[in-house]
Amino acid sequence: MWGRVVEIMTAVWLAASPFVFSVQSDSSILWGDFGIALLIATLSGLSYWHPTRHAHLGILLVSVGLVLWGRFTVVPPPPAHQNHIVVGLFLLMIALIPNYASLPPRGWQTDATG
């Protein structure tokens, strides 16, 4: 589940980034980043619950939207939008990691009965 933890940490970074890049006066970036960060954290958190264990795959759509928003809003993109591109590409990689990637394959796991 370490992939989901990294996604939540990335959502925290995305929520803090308007203040790091001093664009909190631009309400579209500020509230957009807050909303997207909340969506990422929600989808990642839902992956901990077994019935919605594949919810983190929705982050793939969110990250593609982040990349497109960062790339095609203003040309050339300012640092805040460059951050959207980098965060989106990073999340594309992390969202593909399965929930139990740190466990050995089922065939390698020893049986508890001996």
Side-chain angles (χ1 to χ4, degrees):
M1 297 296 272
W2 64 269
R4 310 300 71 87
V5 173
V6 172
E7 290 167 352
I8 292 171
M9 291 177 357
T10 306
V12 170
W13 162 253
L14 190 61
S17 64
F19 302 102
V20 173
F21 294 110
S22 298
V23 292
Q24 63 267 27
S25 60
D26 186 351
S27 63
S28 66
I29 292 177
L30 179 68
W31 292 109
D33 282 355
F34 283 165
I36 293 169
L38 182 64
L39 181 60
I40 291 168
T42 301
L43 289 172
S44 184
L46 281 173
S47 293
Y48 281 96
W49 188 34
H50 188 72
T52 58
R53 66 186 172 273
H54 299 296
H56 68 278
L57 295 176
I59 295 175
L60 294 171
L61 296 174
V62 174
S63 58
V64 168
L66 263 176
V67 171
L68 293 175
W69 181 35
R71 179 63 184 104
F72 295 113
T73 302
V74 180
V75 177
H81 287 302
Q82 290 175 14
N83 180 56
H84 295 145
I85 296 168
V86 171
V87 167
L89 292 174
F90 179 72
L91 285 173
L92 277 171
M93 292 187 304
I94 298 298
L96 292 175
I97 298 172
N99 286 344
Y100 299 104
S102 58
L103 295 178
R106 281 194 194 129
W108 295 2
Q109 294 176 5
T110 58
D111 190 16
T113 60

